Amino acid sequence: MKENQVLQFWNGIFPFLIFYALAYFSTYGLIGLFPEVEPMVMQGVAQIIFIVSMMVWLKNKQKKDKIMEELTKSDLLEKKVIHQGGYLQFPKHKMIIVFCVMVISMLFSMALNQLIDASNLKELSPAFQAVSSSIYEPGKIQILICVGLIAPAYEELMFRGVLFGQLRKSYSFLFCAVTSGLIFGGLHLNLVQFVYAFAMGYLFAFFMEESGSVWFSIIAHVVANITSLMTTWLGSASWMFDHVLLSLLVAFVEGILGIMLLNWIKKRFKLLK
């Protein structure tokens, strides 16, 4: 029984491990081949290559699952098919739902950033300080494209489309969301981004689960990254960081508003299924 469980879990994470390893070595290979080019740009190029690769893989998976669905009409299989590549389908929801997803992501991103700034997490994580300084070194347009647009699409296809989607065939939403969130956070290799990425990763998994499409998690991730970038560049919340209680109060209000919108949007998703 335990062997079957181990094999089941291995089958769930194996495609992710292959894609991640290939993307990792390809990124550093390109950086080594073109040392004169900004590393962030070469990382973006590698991510675009794997965005296309993962979309092709998920599309082929979806076709195979449709064939299986036609061959076997059992209720069990039909429930599993929705988690085997069907996440790639482009959503056909009303714009109000897309807008709410964007607002929810922005609210939770700001709340988490304010909570982290109000804590001592950044001081406890020298690795985060090094990563943060390297992220903001290139030009703003370059950062906006690579960090704000390309990276979210790559990470969502990798961690939600491939990892979460494969695990979801065999396990509950909670297990898959937590597992993919832990791996997503852990691979950032510092405490601050682990906490932030785990929490936001769970939210992205929720959007994917409820909508049935990875595009919603991509949209949410893009908004979260751009929110973090704009907050840093504009210094729009810097005045709060000197007043911890005020920062915590604002984060609390943002969290409550985000939860209220989450409950509303969950009902809308159910009505559309």
Side-chain angles (χ1 to χ4, degrees):
M1 185 68 176
K2 288 184 178 179
E3 289 182 0
N4 289 337
Q5 291 177 346
V6 171
L7 182 61
Q8 197 174 49
F9 184 76
W10 173 252
N11 289 335
I13 66 169
F14 182 71
F16 161 78
L17 292 175
I18 294 298
F19 273 118
Y20 188 82
L22 290 172
Y24 180 87
F25 289 113
S26 297
T27 298
Y28 285 97
L30 286 172
I31 291 172
L33 285 171
F34 302 97
E36 70 281 0
V37 181
E38 180 68 43
M40 183 180 286
V41 173
M42 299 318 300
Q43 183 179 36
V45 171
Q47 287 178 342
I48 289 172
I49 293 170
F50 279 91
I51 286 171
V52 175
S53 301
M54 287 184 285
M55 289 181 72
V56 170
W57 184 82
L58 287 168
K59 193 68 177 177
N60 289 334
K61 199 96 175 71
Q62 187 176 2
K63 288 179 180 178
K64 290 178 182 178
D65 294 333
K66 284 182 178 179
I67 294 171
M68 287 185 67
E69 187 179 4
E70 290 298 321
L71 293 174
T72 310
K73 295 293 184 179
S74 69
D75 290 339
L76 180 63
L77 181 62
E78 287 176 3
K79 287 178 182 177
K80 288 185 177 181
V81 162
I82 198 170
H83 302 295
Q84 291 182 326
Y87 284 130
L88 197 60
Q89 61 187 347
F90 198 81
K92 297 179 180 178
H93 297 84
K94 294 181 179 179
M95 282 305 298
I96 185 64
I97 294 180
V98 177
F99 178 73
C100 283
V101 167
M102 295 169 71
V103 172
I104 292 167
S105 185
M106 181 180 67
L107 287 170
F108 278 110
S109 175
M110 291 191 299
L112 280 168
N113 278 316
Q114 283 159 213
L115 289 173
I116 290 169
D117 279 310
S119 70
N120 292 321
L121 279 181
K122 288 185 177 179
E123 286 71 23
L124 295 172
S125 181
F128 168 75
Q129 296 171 20
V131 169
S132 182
S133 62
S134 67
I135 287 175
Y136 291 97
E137 277 180 5
K140 289 183 179 179
I141 298 298
Q142 184 176 310
I143 296 171
L144 191 62
I145 293 172
C146 293
V147 178
L149 299 175
I150 298 173
Y154 164 79
E155 290 176 346
E156 287 312 302
L157 286 167
M158 179 73 76
F159 290 96
R160 254 60 66 179
V162 177
L163 179 58
F164 175 88
Q166 282 296 106
L167 288 173
R168 192 66 180 91
K169 293 190 295 182
S170 305
Y171 300 100
S172 67
F173 164 75
L174 180 62
F175 177 84
C176 299
V178 170
T179 301
S180 60
L182 286 172
I183 295 173
F184 178 49
L187 287 173
H188 281 80
L189 302 178
N190 66 78
L191 182 60
V192 174
Q193 286 182 303
F194 170 78
V195 173
Y196 179 86
F198 171 73
M200 293 303 292
Y202 190 95
L203 178 67
F204 300 150
F206 170 84
F207 286 137
M208 184 164 152
E209 175 78 7
E210 294 298 321
S211 68
S213 172
V214 73
W215 292 104
F216 270 102
S217 69
I218 291 174
I219 291 169
H221 198 152
V222 166
V223 171
N225 280 21
I226 291 177
T227 298
S228 294
L229 290 173
M230 297 305 293
T231 301
T232 301
W233 287 335
L234 299 176
S236 56
S238 59
W239 60 274
M240 284 193 299
F241 301 152
D242 296 327
H243 304 84
V244 176
L245 289 179
L246 179 59
S247 184
L248 291 174
L249 177 61
V250 173
F252 177 76
V253 172
E254 289 166 344
I256 293 297
L257 289 174
I259 291 170
M260 290 171 63
L261 280 173
L262 270 179
N263 288 330
W264 180 85
I265 206 171
K266 187 174 182 179
K267 294 175 182 178
R268 301 284 82 75
F269 279 136
K270 283 184 178 179
L271 290 173
L272 291 168
K273 285 183 178 178

